Amino acid sequence: FSISGDCFVPNKIKLVVCKDSSAAALDAAGRIAVIVRERSTPVIGLATGSTPETVYAELVRLHREEKLSFRNASTFNLDEYVGLPSTHAQSYRAFMQAHLFSQIDVLPWRTHLLDGTAALPALECEAFEKRILAAGGVDLWLLGIGGNGHIAFNEPGSPVDSRTRIVALTPETIAANSDGRFFSDPAEVPRAALTAGIATIREARRVVLLATGAKKAAAVAAAMKGPFTESCPASLLQDHADCTFVLDEDAASLF
Ligand code: F6R
């Protein structure tokens, strides 16, 4: 379907507010673990960035200490920078290898990331969508949120029916990713990325958006309490049948 301008939909987003960022990450990891244990061939959507790092640490702990096995799981990551090979330390493939894949028993060929160096990005994006379909669709997609309300690299204005594609990064996102956590100079940050689209994400059977810290409070409040609008991409989850926002108290402070 399409929307013209802002509109209101029944807001079905469930809210969980945890006392701090560690508790929120444990909650989100627990939701992933339930799917991994319950499904015979679980399909998990993943995010990169600072927010999910503790989630991945907990999944590694569950694997080591509580026999959580990813042997039959497939994973799909939201996005990848254009131009960064998987060997680049700041590529999202390298991030996932370091924080999760190298420490659990997931099979390498079942970990799907977009290839930011693909010669034909449109074909790479189409193939990614096909791989999701072939895996049977995503059971649970873990998301973060940008300070401007972006999900994956769907910046404000991204169409609700957008699919995996190449996008330009906004100056705000380039600045957020060059604050020393990942890149230390805006000039080093790629200008474009391949990203799952809003429709790609909305098709996941379950969505868990994890947001922690006061910097996310305005975006979370807009997504939760504002209109269903492409100006705030995360608000486009409001009518999802099974979407939970897992927050810490700081991220929930503008409710
Ligand atoms: C990462 C992604 C982004 C981040 C968002 C928040 O794969 O798609 O949307 O989730 O930019 O990033 P952090 O967690 O670093 O604040």
Side-chain angles (χ1 to χ4, degrees), residues 47-52 78-79 92 144-146 150-152 181-182 216:
T48 54
S50 299
T51 316
L78 286 170
D79 38 25
Y92 285 167
I145 183 171
H150 75 213
I151 49 176
R181 288 174 306 151
F182 301 113
K216 302 294 172 69

Side-chain angles (χ1 to χ4, degrees), residues 65-114:
E65 295 177 15
E66 299 188 22
K67 298 192 167 65
L68 180 67
S69 174
F70 295 83
R71 190 92 194 149
N72 297 318
S74 302
T75 67
F76 288 87
N77 265 80
L78 286 170
D79 38 25
E80 180 59 282
Y81 289 116
V82 165
L84 293 197
S86 57
T87 48
H88 190 290
Q90 293 310 329
S91 72
Y92 285 167
R93 166 61 78 179
F95 176 100
M96 291 310 304
Q97 283 301 129
H99 290 276
L100 188 64
F101 299 155
S102 65
Q103 302 185 64
I104 59 174
D105 59 347
V106 70
L107 298 171
W109 58 90
R110 294 210 189 110
T111 63
H112 303 278
L113 271 97
L114 287 149

Side-chain angles (χ1 to χ4, degrees), residues 7 10 16 21 45 56 76 83 87 100 121 150 171 176 180 183 192 195 203-204 219 221 234 241 249:
C7 62
V16 173
S21 59
Y56 299 147
F76 288 87
T87 48
L100 188 64
H150 75 213
F183 295 94
T195 183
E203 280 166 11
E249 286 180 357

Side-chain angles (χ1 to χ4, degrees), residues 31-44 69-73 136-140 204-206 242:
R31 288 166 194 273
I32 294 172
V34 165
I35 299 284
V36 172
R37 287 208 165 98
E38 267 177 8
R39 306 280 155 104
S40 51
T41 53
V43 182
I44 307 295
S69 174
F70 295 83
R71 190 92 194 149
N72 297 318
V138 172
D139 290 315
L140 181 155
R205 285 181 277 280
R206 187 172 289 175
D242 189 351

Side-chain angles (χ1 to χ4, degrees), residues 1 9-14 138-141 143 151 160 198-209 223 228 233-245:
F1 72 113
V9 298
N11 189 343
K12 300 186 200 160
I13 298 174
K14 291 165 275 200
V138 172
D139 290 315
L140 181 155
W141 213 318
L143 307 180
I151 49 176
V160 68
I198 301 280
T200 322
I201 295 167
R202 281 167 52 93
E203 280 166 11
R205 285 181 277 280
R206 187 172 289 175
V207 174
V208 172
L209 184 147
F228 179 92
S235 74
L236 301 173
L237 297 168
Q238 286 177 2
D239 66 341
H240 193 281
D242 189 351
C243 174
T244 305
F245 279 17

Side-chain angles (χ1 to χ4, degrees), residues 48-49 78-82 92 114 144 148-156 158 162 165-170 173-174 176-177 183 189-190 192-198 201 233:
T48 54
L78 286 170
D79 38 25
E80 180 59 282
Y81 289 116
V82 165
Y92 285 167
L114 287 149
N148 61 2
H150 75 213
I151 49 176
F153 276 130
N154 295 285
E155 301 289 5
S158 297
S162 54
R165 67 203 185 288
I166 185 165
V167 292
L169 302 188
T170 60
T173 298
I174 291 170
N177 288 347
F183 295 94
V189 183
L194 303 183
T195 183
I198 301 280
I201 295 167

